[in-house]
Amino acid sequence: MLRVAVIGAGAAGLCVARHILSRLNVFAPPVVFELSENIGGTWCYDERVGTCDIGRLIHNSMYRDLRTNLPKEVMMFPDFPFDSQLSSFLPHQEVQNYLRQYCEEHHIRPHIRFNTAVEKVTPVVMTTEGDKVRTTWEVTSSDSSGGQRTETFDSVFVCSGHYSDPHIPNIPGIKNFKGKVLHSHDYKYAEPFSGQSVVVLGAKASGLDISIELANVGAQVILSHGNTRLTFPLPSGIQQSAVVKAVDEDGNICFQDGSVASADVLMFCTGYNFRYPFLDASQLGLDIQDHLVSPMYLFMMPPAFPSLFFIGICKIICPFPHFNCQVQFALAVLDGRVTLPPASQMKDEAQRQLRSRLDQGVQQRHLLVLDQDQWEYCNTLARIANFTPLPPVVRSLYEETWRQRRIHPQNYRKLNYRLVSVTQWELID
């Protein structure tokens, strides 16, 4: 029986546990290590910022009024639909409820160790009969009382997410800024910013959503970004600007186009870093940077240690279906249904894939952004591991949502959808 450790009880970790528990003829029940006292990961809202009662950093980056930017019809795990009575675009509480129901339906909770931190994950390489090399994993964890234990597993799934370590770009002179500086990680709701002037750095999903929230409570927002100018209608309280260049000696914010503005608040909506303090990257043959983990075969495993799986490190994806595909592939590797190439070949393929993306003009910090490539990626995993691929309707409705979001950023969440078949969806009243 293969023994598997799962780090994190968010959506990805629960998905791993669910599939392992459905195959107890091959796998022992999993051990799921969860740093907090709840399941749900990023979907478990916490109004606290900074550190919690026992001194650990608050990892949650959810804000109070967040609603999903994908409809539930494509967010769901393929084998576990949301309640059909719910609207398509859900408040975060409903996603948390969904994950709680998923956990209960598949009897996962007894296998989760809450308030438990993974301190160290170490590969132990052994040579067995016939000079075959076998790797096991020593996992050292500590509970809330400080007690430590080290256990051995056949495989480790890293499902700790990548929305907890804020990325703060270097801005010359930022110490001169006289107002409040924060990252969206510590933003919870808009009311405290009413009547203030706020420079928001970054116009991706959180930057745009938070800017609209701020404008709706009477804040004056300068939305600073390096993308093509947004042409869809924005609230009157939002003004677009070029990228922030520096903060001058007087505390004013200078932009790359030469303009200058004063502000009460500087808010970074600039994404998050990859951080795995429990791993020794060099020992695993990995390079872990702020926005990139490489080389990773199929965006999932270090070529030298293909029984260590990172679930969900890719960005701009349809998350729950994506996790579901990666988990099924990984378990097929572990139970022998998928035979991997030699480590050298996996490394070459991973590096070649990244070079190809760089040659296409993709910036290094965006190398793990899949976007339109996610569908072929998931289909490839399904084909190799021989599991049911995602139905085409998932891609179709995902792309329709992106189209609506670009046209109506404030109103697209009012739409409701229904899946008609594996290829068709319809808009409903």
Side-chain angles (χ1 to χ4, degrees):
M1 302 287 274
L2 296 171
R3 194 159 185 256
V4 176
V6 182
I7 303 174
L14 294 176
C15 184
V16 176
R18 173 260 182 275
H19 283 285
I20 287 176
L21 288 168
S22 72
R23 304 194 53 223
L24 294 178
N25 59 322
V26 177
F27 297 96
V31 177
V32 183
F33 298 93
E34 171 51 44
L35 189 62
S36 75
E37 59 197 19
N38 293 303
I39 62 116
T42 196
W43 294 101
C44 187
Y45 176 63
D46 191 338
E47 270 194 9
R48 297 174 298 176
V49 296
T51 57
C52 65
D53 300 340
I54 58 174
R56 287 184 182 146
L57 289 174
I58 300 293
H59 280 71
N60 188 268
S61 300
M62 183 66 59
Y63 43 96
R64 184 191 67 195
D65 298 323
L66 180 139
R67 289 175 67 201
T68 61
N69 60 9
L70 288 175
K72 71 180 192 300
E73 290 75 18
V74 300
M75 270 196 71
M76 67 183 191
F77 291 117
D79 57 356
F80 197 78
F82 280 85
D83 181 348
S84 62
Q85 301 302 309
L86 295 171
S87 59
S88 284
F89 295 91
L90 303 172
H92 60 79
Q93 295 92 336
E94 292 293 354
V95 182
Q96 172 71 355
N97 286 339
Y98 170 83
L99 293 174
R100 192 176 295 117
Q101 291 162 9
Y102 184 83
C103 186
E104 291 171 2
E105 174 73 19
H106 299 297
H107 310 290
I108 299 169
R109 188 173 289 273
H111 307 288
I112 303 174
R113 296 183 191 166
F114 292 102
N115 295 309
T116 301
V118 172
E119 306 290 352
K120 194 171 185 183
V121 174
T122 307
V124 178
V125 180
M126 300 172 290
T127 302
T128 59
E129 290 182 21
D131 291 333
K132 288 187 176 180
V133 175
R134 178 171 179 259
T135 300
T136 57
W137 298 89
E138 287 187 351
V139 177
T140 301
S141 62
S142 61
D143 59 27
S144 54
S145 67
Q148 278 201 352
R149 63 198 287 191
T150 299
E151 301 160 275
T152 300
F153 296 89
D154 298 293
S155 173
V156 175
F157 281 72
V158 179
C159 303
S160 51
H162 50 87
Y163 295 108
S164 58
D165 188 89
H167 178 73
I168 309 281
N170 179 43
I171 295 180
I174 194 167
K175 290 182 179 177
N176 299 327
F177 186 68
K178 296 176 173 56
K180 183 177 183 179
V181 178
L182 77 158
H183 190 278
S184 58
H185 173 69
D186 291 326
Y187 169 84
K188 295 302 174 183
Y189 38 82
E191 288 82 358
F193 302 92
S194 176
Q196 296 190 317
S197 55
V198 184
V199 173
V200 173
L201 282 74
K204 291 289 179 11
S206 62
L208 188 55
D209 276 359
I210 290 172
S211 293
I212 292 172
E213 283 194 10
L214 294 172
N216 287 341
V217 299
Q220 293 299 309
V221 178
I222 297 176
L223 181 56
S224 165
H225 63 93
N227 307 331
T228 306
R229 185 175 180 81
L230 305 175
T231 56
F232 44 67
L234 291 169
S236 58
I238 298 178
Q239 165 193 341
Q240 293 184 68
S241 82
V243 172
V244 171
K245 180 181 177 183
V247 178
D248 67 22
E249 292 182 359
D250 295 330
N252 293 319
I253 297 170
C254 307
F255 300 91
Q256 282 189 351
D257 61 4
S259 61
V260 177
S262 61
D264 301 307
V265 180
L266 188 56
M267 187 181 302
F268 291 95
C269 294
T270 45
Y272 295 85
N273 302 317
F274 289 110
R275 286 287 182 270
Y276 304 105
F278 46 84
L279 295 176
D280 180 340
S282 59
Q283 183 182 30
L284 300 171
L286 289 176
D287 180 16
I288 300 177
Q289 302 176 33
D290 286 351
H291 299 295
L292 181 64
V293 182
S294 65
M296 292 281 271
Y297 183 63
L298 292 173
F299 299 116
M300 214 184 316
M301 59 200 100
F305 294 96
S307 55
L308 175 66
F309 300 94
F310 292 72
I311 302 300
I313 68 167
C314 294
K315 303 175 182 179
I316 314 294
I317 54 169
C318 199
F320 296 5
H322 181 93
F323 303 161
N324 201 61
C325 290
Q326 288 192 319
V327 168
Q328 289 182 89
F329 181 89
L331 295 182
V333 169
L334 290 178
D335 71 16
R337 287 177 292 135
V338 167
T339 302
L340 296 174
S344 59
Q345 186 179 331
M346 288 194 284
K347 183 177 180 180
D348 288 346
E349 284 187 29
Q351 291 177 330
R352 187 165 58 247
Q353 187 174 44
L354 293 183
R355 277 197 304 271
S356 173
R357 292 171 73 82
L358 286 169
D359 292 344
Q360 293 167 20
V362 177
Q363 296 179 348
Q364 178 154 328
R365 64 194 178 99
H366 293 148
L367 286 173
L368 292 180
V369 171
L370 282 191
D371 199 4
Q372 289 302 309
D373 293 334
Q374 66 178 301
W375 313 113
E376 180 55 32
Y377 171 76
C378 286
N379 286 339
T380 298
L381 297 184
R383 185 174 64 251
I384 297 172
N386 194 29
F387 60 83
T388 303
L390 296 178
V393 69
V394 175
R395 176 177 184 173
S396 174
L397 184 48
Y398 178 95
E399 291 176 347
E400 170 65 11
T401 302
W402 269 83
R403 191 180 73 83
Q404 292 292 341
R405 201 185 309 168
R406 285 193 293 268
I407 301 170
H408 305 292
Q410 295 184 77
N411 297 322
Y412 75 94
R413 292 184 177 96
K414 295 177 181 178
L415 301 174
N416 286 294
Y417 301 96
R418 179 166 54 220
L419 302 186
V420 179
S421 69
V422 295
T423 59
Q424 288 185 297
W425 54 267
E426 64 181 8
L427 190 63
I428 58 176
D429 294 331

